[in-house]
Amino acid sequence: MDREERAVRPVEFRRDHQLDLYDAQIVTNVTGRSAATRKRLANGRETRAFLDAALDLTTDFLTPEASARSLLDDEEDARLVMPFLSRRKVLKKAKENYGRGFPLSENMLRHRWNTHSDFLADFVSYALSDKYWTLHDAICRQAESLLTTTEAFTAAVHKAAYEDLLLVFELPAFKFQLLAVATAQADLSSAQSLVRMYDSLSELWTSMYEKVFDHYGFKFRPGITAEDINILLQATSEGLVLRLLSGVNEPLLDHERQTSLLGTAALSFFFSLVDPGDKLTLEQAVEQAVGQLRHK
């Protein structure tokens, strides 16, 4: 839907105005001496109008056009999602890191990058480069070793998944990755950097899965590939890390047993997507299983 079409749509069709924003604990910071007053204000049309406007402005900002306009307006504000990376702050931190024996100046920054936006574009690429994901190579090699040198296959899957989940959770680059994902629609450099990062990780992990399957002589069900397994497990891993970062009280990790829900997901994918010899597609296998359950 384009901007003009959206602008003429009736407000009642744009948002769900039946939901009680106060009772749902969505709007909780309005002022008012009593709960009744705060509830009335939270659900008032003026409040919803302000919130809808802010939501639209946010949506508009995360577009290539808005990003380009901001570049023309003020290069230091080109990426408001990264105000912590102004030239001044970057220079100050660099001086702190390297000390007086390594002279640095703003002129050096400007000499290397014509605009601060250019610097930030390079920084995004740098932050998501293989330099910060070499630990993935190490954990991938360890996972391959665990999965091909033990008879306790399920325990090895759990241990490898547990360590991978901890790695992603503790890796600072993952948090920046979330920021890059959020701005990718408005920033071509972020989008390109993410594509390169995922290509690199996919090549690494897909190769590992293929080696493990070749080692045991496993075969995928028709229509399933190692790339599919990799995408499913990467997405599951990132989703679980998001929940860990949110601090939810859920059984995501068991540090004592060194297991995780990622391991459970990996075993589930393995059990359902590996051909046990029936040569059925996943869909056919599910239909067969459902049919058997119905007739029990």
Side-chain angles (χ1 to χ4, degrees):
M1 180 185 303
D2 61 33
R3 187 181 180 86
E4 292 182 358
E5 181 183 359
R6 184 182 63 193
V8 300
R9 290 186 66 188
V11 171
E12 58 267 27
F13 291 110
R14 293 181 55 207
R15 310 283 187 247
D16 179 7
H17 290 89
Q18 303 304 312
L19 179 65
D20 188 309
L21 298 178
Y22 189 80
D23 287 347
Q25 296 187 347
I26 295 173
V27 176
T28 61
N29 293 298
V30 292
T31 57
R33 292 187 176 183
S34 68
T37 299
R38 293 192 293 273
K39 179 173 180 175
R40 176 174 57 80
L41 289 173
N43 289 295
R45 65 179 183 179
E46 295 86 355
T47 300
R48 291 178 185 270
F50 293 140
L51 293 172
D52 286 348
L55 186 57
D56 286 343
L57 287 170
T58 301
T59 301
D60 290 342
F61 177 75
L62 293 177
T63 62
E65 294 79 12
S67 182
R69 286 198 303 273
S70 66
L71 279 171
L72 297 174
D73 294 339
D74 187 342
E75 67 174 18
E76 288 289 350
D77 293 331
R79 295 179 190 175
L80 297 177
V81 291
M82 289 187 280
F84 52 91
L85 294 178
S86 67
R87 277 199 183 100
R88 177 181 58 82
K89 292 177 181 177
V90 169
L91 179 60
K92 180 181 178 182
K93 185 62 176 177
K95 287 182 175 180
E96 291 175 357
N97 290 342
Y98 286 91
R100 295 182 178 179
F102 196 86
L104 296 167
S105 68
E106 184 172 339
N107 284 337
M108 292 180 179
L109 263 173
R110 293 182 181 276
H111 175 69
R112 284 158 179 77
W113 294 279
N114 288 329
T115 68
H116 193 54
S117 180
D118 290 336
F119 165 76
L120 291 176
D122 279 352
F123 167 71
V124 171
S125 179
Y126 181 77
L128 297 177
S129 70
D130 288 344
K131 176 180 173 61
Y132 284 91
W133 290 89
T134 50
L135 283 177
H136 265 285
D137 181 65
I139 201 71
C140 189
R141 292 176 185 274
Q142 183 175 350
E144 181 183 341
S145 176
L146 281 171
L147 294 171
T148 57
T149 60
T150 179
E151 294 185 4
F153 185 77
T154 58
V157 169
H158 267 301
K159 182 172 177 58
Y162 170 82
E163 292 180 352
D164 179 61
L165 200 58
L166 276 184
L167 165 68
V168 178
F169 176 61
E170 296 172 355
L171 201 62
F174 179 74
K175 295 177 182 178
F176 184 81
Q177 175 188 333
L178 299 179
L179 180 59
V181 169
T183 61
Q185 291 296 314
D187 186 349
L188 181 60
S189 65
S190 292
Q192 292 174 335
S193 297
L194 284 166
V195 169
R196 289 195 297 269
M197 182 200 75
Y198 278 116
D199 283 346
S200 177
L201 290 180
S202 293
E203 181 179 355
L204 182 69
W205 284 98
T206 299
S207 176
M208 189 277 286
Y209 297 134
E210 289 174 342
K211 290 177 181 177
V212 171
F213 270 54
D214 288 342
H215 176 79
Y216 288 104
F218 295 148
K219 301 293 183 183
F220 289 109
R221 287 191 178 279
I224 301 297
T225 67
E227 182 181 15
D228 296 330
I229 291 282
N230 168 67
I231 294 171
L232 287 168
L233 285 174
Q234 271 194 36
T236 303
S237 175
E238 292 177 351
L240 290 173
V241 172
L242 280 176
R243 300 177 84 88
L244 285 170
L245 289 172
S246 300
V248 295
N249 184 24
E250 297 175 340
L252 307 178
L253 287 168
D254 187 329
H255 295 294
E256 183 176 347
R257 298 170 56 197
Q258 292 195 332
T259 61
S260 66
L261 281 185
L262 179 60
T264 301
L267 290 173
S268 300
F269 291 142
F270 173 84
F271 187 75
S272 59
L273 301 181
V274 171
D275 188 351
D278 56 25
K279 294 182 171 53
L280 298 177
T281 66
L282 174 63
E283 292 77 13
Q284 290 170 338
V286 171
E287 287 293 345
Q288 184 181 84
V290 170
Q292 293 173 347
L293 289 172
R294 284 174 177 168
H295 292 91
K296 278 191 175 181

